[in-house]
Amino acid sequence: MTRLTGTAMRVTIFIGESDLWHHKPVYTEIVHRAHRAGLAGASVFQGIEGFGASSLIHTVRLLSLSEDLPVAIVIVDDEERIRAFLPQLDELVTEGLVILDGCEVIRYAGRETSK
């Protein structure tokens, strides 16, 4: 079943992997809230190196003991549903960067459920 094709909106949230919401990772809370909101999908990507507003470089290199690697959460859905979800991000993302951009979805097909 195709759920989303054509013009869509992508929200990308950049945070640190050690950012917490009620003792659990912020990225986990964002994904679970996106799921509960019925958004088309959300993925979390761990960065291997980066810096943000603090100007501290976080890296996975062996000699570095960084425990706050960059994390990106990407969610794609239609613009109305993404914009309706933004207040949740306002609540969860106290430090980080949230980017909205238009995109075109070529194909999003839901998995068939076995009967």
XYZ file of all heavy atoms in Angstrom:
892
model
N 0.849 -1.174 0.000
C 0.000 0.000 0.000
C 0.896 1.240 0.000
O 1.766 1.388 0.839
C -0.875 -0.025 1.256
C -1.598 1.266 1.510
S -2.692 1.182 2.911
C -1.561 1.442 4.239
N 0.687 2.145 -0.922
C 1.464 3.374 -0.987
C 0.837 4.403 -0.057
O -0.349 4.686 -0.145
C 1.497 3.912 -2.426
O 2.061 2.914 -3.250
C 2.300 5.170 -2.521
N 1.671 4.968 0.815
C 1.157 5.946 1.768
C 1.531 7.367 1.418
O 0.830 8.280 1.770
C 1.689 5.636 3.167
C 1.073 4.405 3.754
C 1.458 4.214 5.192
N 1.100 5.361 5.988
C 1.584 5.607 7.189
N 2.450 4.791 7.719
N 1.220 6.658 7.859
N 2.676 7.565 0.755
C 3.139 8.919 0.535
C 3.954 8.975 -0.751
O 4.923 8.249 -0.900
C 4.003 9.360 1.721
C 4.574 10.765 1.725
C 3.447 11.788 1.820
C 5.508 10.935 2.915
N 3.526 9.779 -1.685
C 4.293 10.035 -2.898
C 4.115 11.499 -3.252
O 3.177 12.142 -2.817
C 3.831 9.166 -4.090
O 2.450 9.425 -4.322
C 4.053 7.690 -3.838
N 5.041 12.033 -4.040
C 4.941 13.417 -4.473
C 5.585 14.379 -3.491
O 6.514 14.033 -2.775
N 5.073 15.589 -3.443
C 5.635 16.637 -2.612
C 5.425 16.319 -1.134
O 4.333 15.921 -0.726
C 4.982 17.991 -2.946
O 5.183 18.256 -4.329
C 5.600 19.118 -2.134
N 6.468 16.491 -0.359
C 6.403 16.205 1.076
C 7.302 17.190 1.814
O 7.916 18.065 1.202
C 6.842 14.775 1.354
N 7.372 17.051 3.119
C 8.261 17.867 3.931
C 9.129 16.942 4.766
O 8.661 15.923 5.274
C 7.484 18.812 4.832
C 8.377 19.680 5.701
S 7.510 21.086 6.415
C 7.663 22.234 5.048
N 10.393 17.332 4.882
C 11.339 16.588 5.709
C 11.737 17.472 6.875
O 12.046 18.642 6.704
C 12.567 16.215 4.885
C 13.678 15.573 5.709
C 14.852 15.158 4.843
N 15.266 16.248 3.970
C 15.869 16.087 2.798
N 16.147 14.893 2.345
N 16.212 17.122 2.065
N 11.703 16.892 8.065
C 12.246 17.579 9.232
C 13.449 16.762 9.684
O 13.387 15.540 9.787
C 11.210 17.771 10.368
C 10.647 16.453 10.855
C 11.800 18.543 11.531
N 14.569 17.457 9.874
C 15.791 16.824 10.364
C 16.152 17.492 11.674
O 16.238 18.719 11.750
C 16.952 16.981 9.357
O 16.523 16.493 8.084
C 18.178 16.209 9.814
N 16.336 16.694 12.712
C 16.646 17.194 14.043
C 18.054 16.742 14.402
O 18.330 15.541 14.399
C 15.643 16.655 15.090
C 14.207 16.960 14.668
C 15.946 17.219 16.468
C 13.428 15.769 14.218
N 18.923 17.701 14.681
C 20.298 17.399 15.085
C 20.429 17.636 16.585
O 20.186 18.753 17.064
C 21.298 18.301 14.343
C 21.343 18.055 12.873
C 20.603 18.836 12.002
C 22.129 17.035 12.353
C 20.642 18.618 10.640
C 22.177 16.806 10.981
C 21.432 17.603 10.128
N 20.788 16.584 17.310
C 20.975 16.667 18.757
C 22.199 15.825 19.126
O 22.820 15.225 18.261
C 19.723 16.168 19.530
C 19.391 14.721 19.136
C 18.538 17.095 19.306
C 18.292 14.093 19.953
N 22.513 15.771 20.409
C 23.568 14.899 20.895
C 22.969 13.601 21.395
O 21.857 13.581 21.926
N 23.712 12.507 21.236
C 23.164 11.214 21.661
C 22.951 11.128 23.167
O 22.161 10.327 23.633
C 24.034 10.055 21.176
C 25.353 9.917 21.889
C 26.122 8.684 21.446
O 25.523 7.736 20.903
O 27.333 8.673 21.658
N 23.607 11.977 23.943
C 23.435 11.929 25.394
C 22.309 12.833 25.882
O 22.037 12.872 27.085
C 24.752 12.290 26.097
O 25.067 13.646 25.866
N 21.627 13.545 24.983
C 20.499 14.392 25.386
C 19.377 13.487 25.903
O 19.006 12.512 25.238
C 19.989 15.230 24.212
C 20.996 16.267 23.749
O 22.048 16.410 24.408
O 20.729 16.931 22.732
N 18.855 13.830 27.078
C 17.857 12.977 27.734
C 16.517 13.688 27.914
O 16.451 14.898 28.079
C 18.357 12.532 29.110
C 19.626 11.687 29.144
C 20.028 11.404 30.588
C 19.430 10.388 28.372
N 15.464 12.884 27.907
C 14.109 13.323 28.231
C 13.567 12.303 29.219
O 13.360 11.141 28.879
C 13.239 13.373 26.976
C 11.802 13.693 27.252
C 10.765 12.809 27.318
C 11.259 14.976 27.521
N 9.607 13.467 27.605
C 9.881 14.802 27.735
C 11.793 16.252 27.614
C 9.030 15.871 28.027
C 10.945 17.302 27.895
C 9.594 17.109 28.099
N 13.389 12.726 30.471
C 12.905 11.824 31.523
C 13.702 10.518 31.562
O 13.144 9.420 31.516
C 11.413 11.552 31.378
C 10.581 12.789 31.542
N 10.325 13.364 32.763
C 9.993 13.598 30.625
C 9.589 14.449 32.605
N 9.387 14.617 31.304
N 15.017 10.639 31.613
C 15.964 9.536 31.778
C 16.080 8.603 30.571
O 16.606 7.504 30.693
C 15.651 8.712 33.034
C 15.517 9.542 34.263
N 16.569 10.220 34.821
C 14.430 9.843 35.016
C 16.147 10.891 35.883
N 14.858 10.689 36.019
N 15.561 8.999 29.427
C 15.776 8.202 28.218
C 16.200 9.137 27.091
O 15.953 10.334 27.141
C 14.563 7.358 27.859
C 13.334 8.086 27.421
C 12.242 7.066 27.126
C 10.958 7.775 26.744
N 9.888 6.843 26.463
N 16.850 8.597 26.057
C 17.362 9.453 24.989
C 16.257 10.263 24.300
O 15.166 9.742 24.027
C 17.994 8.467 24.006
C 18.304 7.255 24.817
C 17.219 7.192 25.857
N 16.551 11.524 24.011
C 15.596 12.390 23.315
C 15.229 11.778 21.967
O 14.068 11.801 21.563
C 16.153 13.817 23.142
C 15.282 14.640 22.209
C 16.281 14.510 24.483
N 16.219 11.194 21.262
C 15.917 10.629 19.941
C 14.881 9.512 20.042
O 14.021 9.369 19.165
C 17.177 10.178 19.198
C 18.005 9.112 19.872
C 17.690 7.766 19.765
C 19.132 9.461 20.610
C 18.461 6.795 20.370
C 19.910 8.500 21.220
C 19.578 7.168 21.103
O 20.350 6.206 21.709
N 14.924 8.733 21.112
C 13.927 7.674 21.301
C 12.539 8.270 21.507
O 11.562 7.805 20.916
C 14.309 6.795 22.517
O 15.548 6.145 22.235
C 13.244 5.756 22.819
N 12.471 9.305 22.321
C 11.178 9.956 22.577
C 10.614 10.562 21.292
O 9.418 10.459 21.030
C 11.329 11.024 23.660
C 10.030 11.670 24.078
C 9.042 10.747 24.782
O 9.436 9.659 25.254
O 7.855 11.119 24.862
N 11.473 11.181 20.478
C 11.001 11.770 19.218
C 10.439 10.685 18.298
O 9.350 10.832 17.738
C 12.135 12.547 18.520
C 12.466 13.818 19.326
C 11.745 12.899 17.080
C 13.708 14.551 18.842
N 11.155 9.580 18.153
C 10.692 8.496 17.282
C 9.364 7.926 17.783
O 8.431 7.710 16.999
C 11.756 7.375 17.160
C 11.190 6.127 16.502
C 12.966 7.885 16.385
N 9.245 7.705 19.080
C 8.010 7.142 19.629
C 6.837 8.108 19.480
O 5.715 7.686 19.167
C 8.214 6.715 21.080
C 9.010 5.448 21.192
N 8.443 4.213 21.391
C 10.347 5.232 21.086
C 9.384 3.288 21.420
N 10.550 3.885 21.231
N 7.088 9.401 19.671
C 6.020 10.385 19.485
C 5.623 10.492 18.016
O 4.438 10.646 17.699
C 6.435 11.749 20.019
C 6.451 11.801 21.534
C 6.667 13.209 22.010
N 6.827 13.277 23.452
C 6.704 14.396 24.144
N 6.447 15.543 23.546
N 6.874 14.383 25.456
N 6.592 10.427 17.112
C 6.280 10.462 15.676
C 5.428 9.254 15.299
O 4.472 9.360 14.524
C 7.569 10.499 14.856
N 5.747 8.121 15.873
C 4.963 6.900 15.620
C 3.541 7.063 16.133
O 2.570 6.759 15.431
C 5.660 5.705 16.276
C 5.010 4.408 15.978
N 4.182 3.762 16.882
C 5.056 3.621 14.871
C 3.750 2.646 16.352
N 4.267 2.538 15.133
N 3.411 7.550 17.378
C 2.074 7.759 17.955
C 1.278 8.787 17.157
O 0.052 8.696 17.074
C 2.174 8.206 19.411
C 2.499 7.081 20.370
C 2.244 7.443 21.825
N 2.941 8.626 22.284
C 4.176 8.656 22.798
N 4.861 7.525 22.919
N 4.716 9.776 23.201
N 1.959 9.767 16.567
C 1.291 10.798 15.766
C 0.889 10.279 14.390
O 0.224 10.985 13.633
C 2.193 12.019 15.627
N 1.288 9.050 14.060
C 0.923 8.458 12.785
C 1.722 8.971 11.604
O 1.283 8.848 10.460
N 2.902 9.544 11.876
C 3.732 10.032 10.778
C 4.244 8.858 9.954
O 4.314 7.725 10.427
C 4.877 10.881 11.314
C 4.432 12.160 12.046
C 5.631 12.929 12.563
C 3.592 13.038 11.137
N 4.622 9.136 8.710
C 4.984 8.070 7.762
C 6.196 7.270 8.205
O 6.279 6.075 7.939
C 5.233 8.672 6.376
N 7.154 7.892 8.883
C 8.332 7.162 9.328
C 9.354 8.089 9.937
O 9.313 9.301 9.739
N 10.241 7.531 10.720
C 11.320 8.293 11.352
C 12.534 7.387 11.456
O 12.405 6.200 11.744
C 10.907 8.768 12.744
N 13.693 7.958 11.213
C 14.948 7.207 11.325
C 15.951 8.023 12.117
O 15.971 9.252 12.030
C 15.537 6.902 9.948
O 14.676 6.067 9.209
N 16.798 7.323 12.876
C 17.844 7.967 13.664
C 19.190 7.540 13.096
O 19.430 6.353 12.878
C 17.755 7.551 15.157
C 18.871 8.197 15.961
C 16.386 7.893 15.733
N 20.052 8.531 12.878
C 21.383 8.277 12.342
C 22.417 8.824 13.312
O 22.321 9.979 13.733
C 21.559 8.962 10.977
C 20.544 8.500 9.969
C 19.356 9.198 9.783
C 20.758 7.349 9.218
C 18.411 8.774 8.865
C 19.818 6.919 8.296
C 18.639 7.636 8.121
N 23.388 8.000 13.657
C 24.457 8.433 14.554
C 25.622 8.945 13.728
O 26.093 8.267 12.816
C 24.926 7.277 15.441
C 25.978 7.698 16.444
C 26.458 6.520 17.261
O 26.764 5.470 16.730
N 26.516 6.715 18.556
N 26.072 10.144 14.053
C 27.216 10.720 13.372
C 28.512 10.177 13.936
O 28.556 9.674 15.063
N 29.560 10.274 13.147
C 30.862 9.827 13.627
C 31.737 10.996 14.060
O 32.721 10.812 14.759
C 31.597 8.964 12.590
C 31.779 9.717 11.282
C 30.849 7.662 12.362
C 32.662 8.995 10.282
N 31.341 12.207 13.653
C 32.085 13.381 14.079
C 31.250 14.611 13.769
O 30.501 14.638 12.809
C 33.433 13.461 13.353
C 34.356 14.517 13.905
C 35.806 14.317 13.462
O 36.084 13.433 12.628
O 36.642 15.052 13.976
N 31.365 15.630 14.611
C 30.643 16.868 14.352
C 30.802 17.841 15.492
O 31.379 17.540 16.531
N 30.290 19.062 15.268
C 30.231 20.061 16.322
C 29.001 20.918 16.090
O 28.442 20.957 15.009
C 31.517 20.908 16.385
C 31.682 21.890 15.264
C 31.231 23.197 15.408
C 32.268 21.507 14.078
C 31.375 24.099 14.365
C 32.428 22.402 13.049
C 31.976 23.716 13.183
N 28.572 21.561 17.144
C 27.396 22.414 17.057
C 27.664 23.745 17.718
O 28.788 24.255 17.681
N 26.639 24.290 18.366
C 26.724 25.621 18.958
C 27.822 25.720 20.007
O 28.400 26.785 20.216
C 25.380 25.998 19.571
N 28.148 24.611 20.672
C 29.173 24.640 21.719
C 30.582 24.754 21.142
O 31.527 25.040 21.871
C 29.104 23.364 22.565
O 29.553 22.251 21.813
N 30.721 24.489 19.853
C 32.010 24.468 19.144
C 32.941 23.349 19.602
O 34.094 23.304 19.212
C 32.738 25.816 19.246
O 32.021 26.787 18.517
N 32.459 22.439 20.421
C 33.249 21.269 20.807
C 33.098 20.207 19.731
O 31.991 19.913 19.295
C 32.771 20.696 22.143
C 32.948 21.576 23.369
C 32.282 20.922 24.584
C 34.432 21.799 23.634
N 34.220 19.635 19.292
C 34.157 18.575 18.292
C 33.967 17.242 18.998
O 34.700 16.904 19.924
C 35.419 18.568 17.410
C 35.456 19.845 16.561
C 35.448 17.315 16.528
C 36.643 19.963 15.641
N 32.950 16.510 18.577
C 32.654 15.184 19.112
C 33.019 14.178 18.035
O 32.651 14.334 16.883
C 31.173 15.071 19.473
C 30.717 16.127 20.420
N 30.892 16.021 21.774
C 30.111 17.316 20.207
C 30.400 17.097 22.360
N 29.928 17.906 21.424
N 33.720 13.121 18.409
C 34.208 12.157 17.419
C 34.257 10.754 18.005
O 34.287 10.581 19.222
C 35.617 12.577 16.911
O 36.053 11.627 15.948
C 36.625 12.657 18.031
N 34.261 9.748 17.109
C 34.381 8.349 17.538
C 35.823 7.876 17.469
O 36.100 6.724 17.750
C 33.509 7.398 16.682
C 32.051 7.687 16.884
C 33.889 7.421 15.226
N 36.737 8.752 17.076
C 38.128 8.316 16.957
C 38.618 7.698 18.255
O 38.260 8.133 19.344
C 39.023 9.487 16.546
C 38.933 9.712 15.044
C 39.914 10.742 14.578
N 39.154 11.980 14.448
C 39.593 13.171 14.822
N 40.777 13.315 15.343
N 38.849 14.223 14.655
N 39.465 6.687 18.124
C 39.912 5.872 19.244
C 40.490 6.683 20.402
O 40.236 6.380 21.557
C 40.945 4.854 18.743
C 41.165 3.631 19.607
C 39.857 2.916 19.876
C 42.138 2.694 18.936
N 41.245 7.718 20.108
C 41.880 8.486 21.178
C 40.920 9.449 21.852
O 41.226 10.030 22.877
C 43.094 9.255 20.629
C 44.212 8.363 20.104
C 45.324 9.227 19.501
C 44.770 7.482 21.203
N 39.739 9.614 21.287
C 38.747 10.506 21.875
C 37.777 9.689 22.727
O 37.411 8.581 22.376
C 37.967 11.225 20.778
O 36.910 11.948 21.342
N 37.365 10.239 23.828
C 36.416 9.543 24.700
C 35.047 10.206 24.657
O 34.327 10.211 25.636
C 36.959 9.527 26.133
C 38.272 8.768 26.312
C 38.748 8.883 27.757
C 38.125 7.314 25.918
N 34.690 10.765 23.507
C 33.416 11.458 23.378
C 32.266 10.503 23.657
O 32.207 9.404 23.132
C 33.264 12.035 21.977
O 32.014 12.664 21.857
N 31.363 10.948 24.509
C 30.158 10.174 24.799
C 28.923 10.919 24.334
O 27.814 10.593 24.723
C 30.069 9.885 26.295
C 31.185 8.993 26.784
C 31.116 8.748 28.279
O 30.197 9.250 28.932
O 31.995 8.051 28.783
N 29.108 11.946 23.513
C 27.984 12.742 23.041
C 28.106 12.950 21.540
O 28.231 14.066 21.062
C 27.937 14.084 23.779
C 26.635 14.821 23.523
O 25.628 14.162 23.214
O 26.626 16.060 23.633
N 28.072 11.854 20.793
C 28.184 11.938 19.347
C 26.935 12.600 18.765
O 25.863 12.542 19.358
C 28.375 10.550 18.758
C 29.695 9.883 19.129
C 29.696 8.438 18.707
C 30.866 10.636 18.513
N 27.081 13.208 17.588
C 25.916 13.825 16.967
C 24.922 12.768 16.501
O 25.308 11.676 16.073
C 26.495 14.600 15.782
C 27.849 14.030 15.547
C 28.306 13.418 16.823
N 23.646 13.110 16.586
C 22.565 12.242 16.153
C 21.631 13.073 15.282
O 21.352 14.227 15.609
C 21.785 11.669 17.365
C 20.538 10.938 16.934
C 22.661 10.755 18.190
N 21.169 12.493 14.180
C 20.179 13.150 13.321
C 18.941 12.264 13.257
O 19.046 11.058 13.022
C 20.732 13.378 11.923
N 17.801 12.855 13.500
C 16.522 12.162 13.348
C 15.862 12.764 12.117
O 15.723 13.984 12.025
C 15.603 12.335 14.568
C 16.300 11.905 15.861
C 14.308 11.553 14.393
C 16.798 13.035 16.682
N 15.464 11.920 11.176
C 14.840 12.385 9.942
C 13.425 11.827 9.872
O 13.213 10.627 10.036
C 15.652 11.933 8.705
C 14.969 12.395 7.421
C 17.075 12.458 8.780
N 12.470 12.739 9.650
C 11.058 12.361 9.534
C 10.533 12.989 8.248
O 10.771 14.172 7.993
C 10.240 12.878 10.736
C 10.835 12.382 12.057
C 8.777 12.471 10.602
C 10.254 13.059 13.288
N 9.812 12.211 7.441
C 9.217 12.717 6.212
C 7.733 12.402 6.217
O 7.324 11.280 6.527
C 9.882 12.094 4.963
C 9.204 12.584 3.690
C 11.363 12.393 4.928
N 6.924 13.406 5.896
C 5.482 13.228 5.759
C 4.962 14.436 5.007
O 5.757 15.274 4.576
C 4.809 13.094 7.125
C 3.525 12.264 7.070
O 2.702 12.501 6.164
O 3.335 11.388 7.923
N 3.653 14.573 4.867
C 3.163 15.770 4.194
C 3.321 16.977 5.122
O 3.460 16.835 6.335
C 1.729 15.601 3.672
C 0.686 15.448 4.757
O 0.686 16.243 5.713
O -0.143 14.545 4.636
N 3.348 18.160 4.527
C 3.671 19.373 5.272
C 2.734 19.613 6.451
O 3.176 19.971 7.548
C 3.657 20.589 4.342
C 4.032 21.873 5.057
C 4.163 23.070 4.149
O 4.049 22.916 2.912
O 4.402 24.162 4.683
N 1.461 19.411 6.267
C 0.486 19.658 7.331
C 0.772 18.786 8.563
O 0.742 19.262 9.694
C -0.924 19.392 6.797
C -2.024 19.681 7.795
C -3.400 19.425 7.211
O -3.610 19.670 5.998
O -4.270 18.970 7.980
N 1.072 17.522 8.331
C 1.329 16.612 9.448
C 2.656 16.937 10.137
O 2.759 16.860 11.360
C 1.303 15.165 8.947
C -0.112 14.759 8.504
C -0.123 13.427 7.773
N 0.283 12.335 8.617
C -0.535 11.655 9.420
N -1.809 11.983 9.486
N -0.082 10.659 10.141
N 3.675 17.307 9.350
C 4.963 17.690 9.943
C 4.787 18.946 10.794
O 5.248 19.014 11.931
C 6.042 17.902 8.859
C 6.417 16.577 8.201
C 7.267 18.615 9.437
C 7.169 15.590 9.078
N 4.118 19.952 10.247
C 3.932 21.199 11.006
C 3.106 20.978 12.268
O 3.345 21.607 13.287
C 3.329 22.278 10.119
C 4.317 22.745 9.049
C 3.977 24.086 8.455
N 4.931 24.454 7.428
C 6.094 25.054 7.654
N 6.460 25.340 8.884
N 6.902 25.365 6.651
N 2.156 20.065 12.228
C 1.374 19.738 13.421
C 2.238 19.068 14.490
O 1.940 19.153 15.686
C 0.196 18.839 13.050
N 3.321 18.422 14.067
C 4.218 17.718 14.990
C 5.257 18.645 15.619
O 5.838 18.317 16.653
C 4.913 16.567 14.241
C 5.719 15.658 15.110
C 5.115 14.817 16.035
C 7.105 15.637 15.014
C 5.862 13.973 16.843
C 7.869 14.798 15.816
C 7.240 13.962 16.735
N 5.507 19.805 15.031
C 6.561 20.714 15.499
C 6.450 21.117 16.974
O 7.480 21.212 17.649
C 6.634 21.959 14.612
C 7.133 21.710 13.194
C 7.149 23.021 12.406
C 8.498 21.049 13.180
N 5.257 21.343 17.533
C 5.197 21.670 18.974
C 5.809 20.585 19.865
O 6.364 20.880 20.917
C 3.703 21.846 19.244
C 3.145 22.267 17.923
C 3.949 21.501 16.900
N 5.735 19.341 19.439
C 6.358 18.252 20.203
C 7.875 18.447 20.220
O 8.528 18.219 21.228
C 6.018 16.907 19.570
C 4.541 16.681 19.453
C 4.050 15.527 20.273
O 4.749 14.983 21.118
N 2.831 15.146 20.029
N 8.435 18.863 19.073
C 9.878 19.094 19.010
C 10.284 20.290 19.858
O 11.338 20.278 20.485
C 10.324 19.291 17.560
C 10.099 18.097 16.633
C 10.565 18.432 15.227
C 10.801 16.858 17.164
N 9.423 21.315 19.885
C 9.703 22.478 20.741
C 9.854 22.054 22.195
O 10.687 22.574 22.926
C 8.584 23.518 20.633
C 8.584 24.251 19.309
O 9.624 24.252 18.625
O 7.534 24.816 18.956
N 9.052 21.090 22.595
C 9.094 20.588 23.966
C 10.339 19.741 24.229
O 10.941 19.820 25.299
C 7.836 19.757 24.231
C 7.777 19.133 25.607
C 6.562 18.240 25.788
O 5.752 18.086 24.851
O 6.440 17.678 26.883
N 10.757 18.947 23.249
C 11.817 17.958 23.457
C 13.225 18.462 23.160
O 14.181 18.016 23.783
C 11.554 16.723 22.585
C 10.300 15.926 22.928
C 10.022 14.896 21.845
C 10.452 15.274 24.280
N 13.373 19.338 22.182
C 14.700 19.766 21.732
C 15.044 21.084 22.395
O 14.625 22.145 21.949
C 14.763 19.886 20.195
C 16.153 20.318 19.751
C 14.372 18.564 19.545
N 15.797 21.003 23.483
C 16.199 22.215 24.189
C 17.529 22.741 23.659
O 17.790 23.930 23.725
C 16.312 21.952 25.705
O 17.233 20.883 25.920
C 14.963 21.585 26.291
N 18.363 21.854 23.144
C 19.630 22.219 22.523
C 19.752 21.400 21.265
O 19.672 20.181 21.301
C 20.804 21.873 23.450
C 21.596 23.059 23.908
C 22.747 22.617 24.784
O 23.778 22.228 24.218
O 22.583 22.661 26.005
N 19.917 22.058 20.147
C 20.031 21.328 18.893
C 19.579 22.198 17.744
O 19.426 23.405 17.879
N 19.348 21.570 16.627
C 18.972 22.266 15.408
C 17.864 21.477 14.735
O 17.955 20.254 14.599
C 20.194 22.361 14.479
C 20.007 23.001 13.119
C 19.660 24.483 13.258
C 21.286 22.838 12.294
N 16.809 22.190 14.336
C 15.698 21.567 13.623
C 15.597 22.242 12.256
O 15.517 23.461 12.174
C 14.367 21.723 14.399
C 13.205 21.126 13.602
C 14.462 21.074 15.779
N 15.653 21.440 11.210
C 15.613 21.951 9.839
C 14.383 21.392 9.137
O 14.114 20.193 9.194
C 16.875 21.528 9.058
C 18.117 22.126 9.691
C 16.760 21.942 7.593
C 19.408 21.617 9.080
N 13.652 22.266 8.469
C 12.526 21.865 7.633
C 12.901 22.130 6.186
O 13.412 23.203 5.861
C 11.278 22.687 7.950
C 10.617 22.493 9.300
C 9.500 23.502 9.467
C 10.081 21.086 9.427
N 12.626 21.169 5.315
C 12.800 21.437 3.901
C 11.826 20.590 3.101
O 11.415 19.516 3.511
C 14.247 21.234 3.428
C 14.841 19.882 3.745
O 14.273 19.144 4.561
O 15.892 19.557 3.186
N 11.441 21.149 1.971
C 10.553 20.435 1.077
C 11.326 19.350 0.357
O 12.533 19.460 0.133
N 10.646 18.289 0.008
C 11.278 17.206 -0.728
C 10.225 16.537 -1.594
O 9.038 16.817 -1.486
C 11.933 16.199 0.223
S 10.806 15.373 1.350
N 10.685 15.663 -2.442
C 9.779 14.892 -3.269
C 9.987 13.419 -2.962
O 11.105 12.915 -3.022
C 10.041 15.155 -4.753
C 9.071 14.446 -5.650
C 9.266 14.789 -7.116
O 10.020 15.717 -7.421
O 8.656 14.093 -7.950
N 8.919 12.754 -2.618
C 8.975 11.327 -2.329
C 8.654 10.579 -3.618
O 7.611 10.806 -4.237
C 7.972 10.950 -1.212
C 7.931 9.442 -1.012
C 8.328 11.659 0.079
N 9.559 9.724 -4.016
C 9.354 8.929 -5.225
C 8.400 7.777 -4.933
O 7.471 7.514 -5.663
C 10.696 8.370 -5.767
C 11.666 9.508 -6.047
C 10.475 7.509 -6.998
C 11.215 10.498 -7.089
N 8.663 7.103 -3.797
C 7.806 5.984 -3.446
C 7.969 5.649 -1.975
O 9.072 5.518 -1.476
C 8.177 4.765 -4.278
C 7.336 3.556 -3.965
C 7.612 2.455 -4.968
N 6.729 1.341 -4.677
C 7.148 0.102 -4.503
N 8.411 -0.183 -4.625
N 6.298 -0.848 -4.241
N 6.873 5.516 -1.301
C 6.879 4.978 0.055
C 5.809 3.912 0.081
O 4.627 4.200 -0.071
C 6.576 6.043 1.108
C 6.466 5.459 2.491
C 7.600 5.185 3.226
C 5.235 5.142 3.047
C 7.515 4.636 4.492
C 5.138 4.584 4.305
C 6.288 4.336 5.014
O 6.190 3.779 6.258
N 6.222 2.681 0.221
C 5.281 1.577 0.236
C 5.299 0.920 1.589
O 6.361 0.537 2.075
C 5.627 0.560 -0.841
N 4.143 0.809 2.214
C 4.043 0.122 3.490
C 4.237 -1.376 3.290
O 3.975 -1.914 2.223
N 4.706 -2.023 4.325
C 4.905 -3.472 4.259
C 3.564 -4.183 4.301
O 2.657 -3.786 5.012
C 5.771 -3.943 5.432
C 7.183 -3.461 5.322
C 8.056 -4.196 6.326
N 9.421 -3.775 6.164
C 10.059 -2.966 6.996
N 9.462 -2.513 8.065
N 11.306 -2.627 6.780
N 3.488 -5.234 3.551
C 2.273 -6.070 3.574
C 2.236 -6.837 4.888
O 3.256 -7.352 5.342
C 2.290 -7.066 2.405
C 2.190 -6.413 1.044
C 0.833 -5.776 0.801
O -0.187 -6.345 1.245
O 0.802 -4.715 0.165
N 1.083 -6.903 5.493
C 0.945 -7.700 6.717
C 0.442 -9.080 6.342
O -0.458 -9.227 5.498
C -0.044 -7.041 7.704
O -1.297 -6.838 7.036
C 0.495 -5.700 8.175
N 1.025 -10.090 6.940
C 0.603 -11.461 6.645
C -0.653 -11.780 7.427
O -0.842 -11.361 8.554
C 1.722 -12.434 6.978
O 2.059 -12.326 8.330
N -1.527 -12.519 6.776
C -2.807 -12.880 7.414
C -2.765 -14.292 7.911
O -2.095 -15.120 7.494
C -3.949 -12.710 6.420
C -4.139 -11.255 6.075
C -5.317 -11.112 5.152
C -5.498 -9.647 4.788
N -6.632 -9.393 3.995
